[in-house]
Amino acid sequence: MRNNIKIFFELTKVKITSFVTVTTAFGYIAATIQIDVGIIPVLLGVLLLAFGSAALNHYQEKDFDAKMNRTKNRPIPSGRISSSLALLISSLLVISGSIVLIVFTNLLVLSLGLLNLVWYNLIYTLLKRKTPFAIIPGSFVGAIPPMIGWAAAGGSLIDPQMIIIAFFFFIWQIPHFWLLLLVMDNEYRQAGFPTLSMLFSKEQLSRITFIWIISTAVTGLMIPLFGIVSQLWVDIALFVSGVLLTWKAFGLLVESNDYSAFRLNFKSINYFALSVVFFVSIDKLIS
């Protein structure tokens, strides 16, 4: 039983998919300025859809996963679960999540949830086999979860506050994916994926990544300009977080023979996204 639970959590990429529910909750709180029982089915439905999407991704990538050291021990390539069973689990999770969302929320929320699944599994996953620039359209999957939370709370998707939140997570997702591909460059090459290092030198990649990170910091600092934040200390906290992210990003411009700066900035940019979620959520809840 314990082993089956472990396989299930690996198949559903629980560490990654949990963050989807965090940003969904962020969108919900930003729209309602509170946490109520209505958020429970939204997060449950989104989590089930995210689980199903992750399991489907395992099925789609099983042949590539078998070629990479990082992923060769995943449930399907390691033989701990058959690909057909993984596909069945994925289907059941997607159906369950869809039922939860349509019963307890509305058609718009369900449509956004399914759009995110389609965008990740049928557009990004297939496109990244063709071009390393798939991360740009693929980053739209980072913008949709807060939109789901916002829509579930009754907010309008054309509200400027919603647009800047979605835009922030879209911009953040680009260097997030970009840095992950750079850190795993050799393994992606080994599996046959087109990589950024085939097109750019390390120095060029460092400068381009630096620009993306600065763009993320600036976008995060724009959030208070849309009236989302009311507490001065939150403005200051966001500013300090942006400055720290920028300061660490300068490490990318220092000449080095390894990719340690990419690893450090991969962590930094994720901490920055979490800090934005945390500070803005606290501001909303205490206003």
Side-chain angles (χ1 to χ4, degrees):
M1 183 64 181
R2 185 176 180 180
N3 190 48
N4 289 336
I5 293 173
K6 182 181 178 184
I7 292 173
F8 178 80
F9 283 150
E10 288 183 46
L11 191 67
T12 55
K13 302 181 182 180
V14 67
K15 293 180 181 177
I16 298 173
T17 49
S18 295
F19 189 71
V20 176
T21 61
V22 170
T23 55
T24 301
F26 177 63
Y28 189 95
I29 293 169
T32 61
I33 319 180
Q34 64 180 354
I35 297 177
D36 54 37
V37 294
I39 198 173
I40 296 175
V42 180
L43 298 187
L44 176 61
V46 168
L47 183 62
L48 289 170
L49 280 182
F51 277 176
S53 175
L56 178 58
N57 181 257
H58 273 268
Y59 175 82
Q60 293 175 293
E61 305 264 83
K62 58 184 184 301
D63 294 332
F64 295 96
D65 285 346
K67 298 176 182 177
M68 295 191 285
N69 292 330
R70 183 177 66 91
T71 55
K72 66 182 181 183
N73 292 320
R74 282 180 170 175
I76 297 178
S78 66
R80 287 179 291 150
I81 187 172
S82 67
S83 57
S84 57
L85 180 56
L87 186 59
L88 175 62
I89 292 172
S90 168
S91 301
L92 293 175
L93 288 167
V94 171
I95 292 171
S96 300
S98 299
I99 291 173
V100 170
L101 290 180
I102 195 62
V103 170
F104 294 98
T105 62
N106 55 58
L107 184 59
L108 175 60
V109 172
L110 173 61
S111 300
L112 287 170
L114 292 177
L115 173 63
N116 210 28
L117 184 147
V118 168
W119 204 273
Y120 179 68
N121 294 100
L122 299 185
I123 296 180
Y124 170 67
T125 298
L126 300 183
L127 197 59
K128 77 176 186 179
R129 300 174 186 175
K130 304 295 182 183
T131 170
F133 295 109
I135 54 178
I136 296 177
S139 293
F140 190 53
V141 299
I144 296 178
M147 294 169 67
I148 295 174
W150 184 278
S156 168
L157 295 183
I158 58 173
D159 188 310
Q161 291 189 357
M162 180 64 265
I163 292 173
I164 187 61
I165 289 174
F167 185 65
F168 167 73
F169 283 103
F170 170 75
I171 293 294
W172 160 75
Q173 193 82 53
I174 294 175
H176 168 84
F177 275 156
W178 192 289
L179 286 162
L180 181 63
L181 290 176
L182 291 172
V183 170
M184 303 296 174
D185 185 76
N186 289 334
E187 295 210 35
Y188 276 100
R189 279 186 179 226
Q190 184 181 346
F193 287 108
T195 67
L196 295 166
S197 62
M198 293 177 176
L199 302 175
F200 303 105
S201 69
K202 182 174 178 295
E203 289 72 24
Q204 289 173 319
L205 288 171
S206 298
R207 290 194 290 270
I208 295 171
T209 307
F210 175 80
I211 295 299
W212 278 120
I213 293 176
I214 298 304
S215 300
T216 303
V218 171
T219 308
L221 295 178
M222 287 173 61
I223 289 177
L225 301 180
F226 285 76
I228 300 175
V229 173
S230 59
Q231 307 285 328
L232 177 60
W233 71 267
V234 174
D235 288 333
I236 296 172
L238 291 175
F239 177 76
V240 172
S241 298
V243 170
L244 288 174
L245 178 66
T246 302
W247 178 68
K248 291 193 175 181
F250 274 102
L252 291 169
L253 304 181
V254 177
E255 290 190 13
S256 171
N257 294 323
D258 60 36
Y259 282 75
S260 59
F262 291 122
R263 294 188 184 90
L264 177 63
N265 277 276
F266 179 70
K267 294 180 181 177
S268 297
I269 200 164
N270 291 331
Y271 289 144
F272 177 68
L274 285 173
S275 70
V276 170
V277 169
F278 176 76
F279 290 127
V280 176
S281 296
I282 293 297
D283 179 273
K284 288 291 184 182
L285 293 175
I286 65 176
S287 295

